[in-house]
Amino acid sequence: MLALTPAQQRAAEGLLSAIPTGCAFALSASPGMGSTTVLRHVHSTIGGAFVSLRQFLREVMDRQPLALEEALLDLLDQALREHEFAIVDDLQMINIVTQSCSYARCGVIDAVLTTVLDEAAGRGRKIVFGLRKDDEVLPIARRASLQEIKDFTPLDYECILRAHLGPELAGRLDPGQIHRFAPGLTAWQLRNACAAVAHDRELKTEQFIEYLTEQDIVSNVEIEEVQPVDWRDLKGMDDVVSALEAKIALPFENSKLAEELRLKPRRGVLLAGPPGTGKTTIGRALAHRLKGKFFLIDGTIIARTDDFYRAVRKVFAAAARNAPAVIFIDDTDLIFEGNGDSGFYRYLATMLDGLESASAERVCVMMTAMDPGSLPPALLRSGRVELWLETRLPDAEARAAIVGEKLAVLPAPIGTADIPLLAAASQGLTGADLKAIIEDGKLSFAHDIASGRTPRPADDYFLDAIEAVRTNRRNYSRRKPAVFSEAAKIGFSAG
């Protein structure tokens, strides 16, 4: 039997010290944290019966499908007849089956457990149940003394690494750095990671963390499908990039300073600015930089889903498990526009307030909005949004940089257009406009070539494209904008 980690040892000692004082006990733990290991340790110390899920399944096999509760009752009755002490492992698995919507006898298991607890108390027997954290089984919640396997610390990580890699190889790793990078790993995840890297006799902490990033730190975004973006692509936003580097990226990436100075990313960040000024581009850059530490909420989650509260809660829970992490909520003003009641923003405000807890304090929620004034004031109150950043229209220098970068990869003659001329002519346009102008100019040039016409000067193609953008804007401003459909509210795409 593997040695217990410190967190597991504390839970085991808590159970062993409580057992003489009562008759009903429960061990609560998140999946993969070693509850069975702890219960086996307790069993090896004081003996008695150990009722496993396997025994329950064998008991069920000989009965008709609607006799799950009778099978459990008979199994526990037998254990308490023959022993003064019984341990019931994985009760949550049995409970899940009997509470599923397709099972016709929901609630009967509560009667069974109440009967068993009464029987144990009346006969002076003792019983321990293994439960999944946050699962509430009412008869046990009301009567049992609860012990919990707490979140792992660096000492727990070190114990697991030594158990599965051996002292020599584990000695090459820094469990504190691994824990800072991924504090929410379970014993099973660490065990599987050890098995995967154990062949590397030159193993270092960086390689171990790289494996965790690829296998165990799970974003809800397919990074391969997101257009690659770097901070250098954000022309004219040096102040925004500097703030993101200092107040978001640094606490993620410099674990030494983060530990020494107790650095945490800003809890709430608002990126505000006109359409096309780079808000979503910043999201793409963060997605690639943070990889599995990046979680997205956009219209694809919110639109027309009956259980979007649950979907949002799952995103926040996943980010907390993988902290430090960023939750990126794109086009927040459009999302609220489609949810007329106040329920969603109040729910989101509650989730933001929940990030003050120690277990979730390293989660940053970054929201984008074209019009911050349309956001609920309660969401933006001091303390919820700690960092305000503005994305602006590019100035002449930034426009020249964007145009020059796009033209640099084009062949002559189309790539030889006058950059200062185009930068001056495009005043008031966004970075997204400039990229579209280059694409439109290329298409017009290619069409002339394909049609056998003599190409015009390169500048003309792009100047025409600039004028087309301005014409479209004038036409658009004369009529009322169309109401966005729910299906259209997708703020983050690979395009």
Side-chain angles (χ1 to χ4, degrees):
M1 182 180 295
L2 291 174
L4 299 181
T5 74
Q8 293 169 345
Q9 184 66 44
R10 285 190 291 272
E13 290 173 354
L15 276 177
L16 290 170
S17 63
I19 283 171
T21 67
C23 65
F25 313 90
L27 175 67
S28 170
S30 298
M33 296 296 282
S35 58
T36 297
T37 301
V38 171
L39 293 176
R40 288 287 185 189
H41 175 84
V42 171
H43 180 249
S44 69
T45 303
I46 62 176
F50 193 97
V51 179
S52 66
L53 181 62
R54 184 182 184 88
Q55 289 172 273
F56 171 74
L57 292 175
R58 283 180 172 173
E59 188 75 19
V60 168
M61 288 173 64
D62 295 329
R63 299 172 183 261
Q64 59 102 355
L66 294 181
L68 299 179
E69 295 87 352
E70 288 85 344
L72 180 63
L73 180 61
D74 289 348
L75 203 57
L76 298 185
D77 274 347
Q78 179 181 351
L80 293 173
R81 279 197 308 270
E82 298 175 357
H83 302 273
E84 293 185 0
F85 180 72
I87 294 176
V88 184
D89 194 17
D90 288 326
L91 179 66
Q92 76 276 359
M93 298 299 295
I94 303 169
N95 200 40
I96 287 171
V97 173
T98 59
Q99 291 192 5
S100 66
C101 59
S102 60
Y103 187 70
R105 304 175 70 194
C106 294
V108 178
I109 193 171
D110 285 354
V112 169
L113 293 173
T114 299
T115 301
V116 169
L117 290 168
D118 287 343
E119 186 77 10
R123 297 170 59 185
R125 301 293 200 249
K126 299 177 183 293
I127 188 166
V128 176
F129 296 94
L131 296 172
R132 185 171 61 184
K133 186 177 180 180
D134 298 328
D135 275 2
E136 187 177 61
V137 182
L138 288 178
I140 297 174
R142 290 167 177 163
R143 301 191 186 198
S145 172
L146 178 67
Q147 295 294 323
E148 181 182 341
I149 301 178
K150 301 292 187 180
D151 292 339
F152 285 162
T153 69
L155 291 177
D156 295 284
Y157 277 37
E158 181 179 9
C159 181
I160 295 169
L161 294 174
R162 291 177 67 87
H164 295 291
L165 291 176
E168 181 181 352
L169 200 54
R172 298 173 179 268
L173 305 179
D174 181 349
Q177 185 176 345
I178 295 170
H179 183 267
R180 286 192 297 273
F181 176 78
L185 296 178
T186 68
W188 275 106
Q189 287 174 318
L190 285 166
R191 176 180 176 178
N192 292 339
C194 289
V197 301
H199 66 281
D200 185 359
R201 307 318 297 176
E202 302 299 322
L203 180 65
K204 295 181 180 179
T205 301
E206 291 73 18
Q207 284 82 26
F208 194 89
I209 287 177
E210 183 178 352
Y211 174 84
L212 294 176
T213 301
E214 295 174 353
Q215 302 297 327
D216 291 302
I217 308 301
V218 182
S219 169
N220 68 340
V221 175
E222 293 292 337
I223 299 300
E224 297 78 9
E225 297 181 7
V226 177
Q227 177 184 347
V229 181
D230 188 82
W231 292 140
R232 291 168 294 185
D233 298 317
L234 304 174
K235 309 298 184 186
M237 288 195 282
D238 293 346
D239 56 336
V240 173
V241 170
S242 178
L244 292 172
E245 283 280 3
K247 299 177 181 180
I248 305 298
L250 177 63
F252 282 77
E253 298 173 344
N254 194 319
S255 58
K256 182 179 179 181
L257 275 177
E259 180 181 27
E260 184 178 321
L261 300 176
R262 300 182 62 81
L263 301 178
K264 298 178 293 184
R266 298 290 80 193
R267 181 167 57 122
V269 179
L270 178 64
L271 287 172
T277 53
K279 300 182 296 297
T280 299
T281 301
I282 289 172
R284 295 189 183 110
L286 281 171
H288 279 278
R289 182 148 177 176
L290 303 179
K291 296 182 180 177
K293 302 272 189 177
F294 181 91
F295 296 83
L296 174 68
I297 295 175
D298 67 354
T300 60
I301 288 181
I302 304 301
R304 298 298 186 191
T305 55
D306 295 334
D307 59 348
F308 69 86
Y309 287 105
R310 180 184 176 192
V312 171
R313 185 169 64 250
K314 286 176 63 177
V315 172
F316 272 80
R321 287 195 304 271
N322 292 286
V326 166
I327 299 173
F328 192 85
I329 307 179
D330 205 18
D331 288 333
T332 312
D333 43 357
L334 294 184
I335 290 174
F336 286 125
E337 181 183 89
N339 290 273
D341 60 47
S342 62
F344 179 59
Y345 85 74
R346 292 184 184 278
Y347 182 75
L348 184 57
T350 300
M351 299 301 290
L352 279 165
D353 290 341
L355 298 181
E356 292 178 339
S357 66
S359 62
E361 63 181 0
R362 296 193 301 160
V363 175
C364 165
V365 176
M366 184 176 294
M367 299 175 284
T368 74
M370 292 179 287
D371 178 16
S374 68
L375 296 178
L379 189 65
L380 303 181
R381 72 162 175 81
S382 177
R384 286 180 178 144
V385 173
E386 300 175 327
L387 177 63
W388 291 62
L389 299 173
E390 181 185 0
T391 58
R392 302 173 298 276
L393 295 174
D395 58 19
E397 183 179 351
R399 294 196 302 274
I402 295 170
V403 170
E405 185 180 79
K406 297 297 180 182
L407 292 179
V409 297
L410 300 180
I414 192 65
T416 62
D418 187 332
I419 295 173
L421 173 66
L422 299 182
S426 58
Q427 182 177 359
L429 301 187
T430 69
D433 291 333
L434 293 171
K435 294 174 185 177
I437 285 164
I438 299 300
E439 292 302 314
D440 286 348
K442 287 193 303 181
L443 288 170
S444 297
F445 171 76
H447 185 257
D448 280 352
I449 296 295
S451 302
R453 290 191 287 266
T454 301
R456 295 178 291 156
D459 297 344
D460 291 353
Y461 292 102
F462 299 117
L463 291 172
D464 286 350
I466 290 172
E467 182 56 32
V469 169
R470 295 194 187 283
T471 299
N472 288 338
R473 285 194 172 183
R474 286 193 296 269
N475 291 337
Y476 180 79
S477 65
R478 293 193 188 107
R479 60 179 183 269
K480 185 178 178 180
V483 176
F484 284 92
S485 68
E486 294 290 344
K489 293 176 188 171
I490 300 174
F492 196 89
S493 67

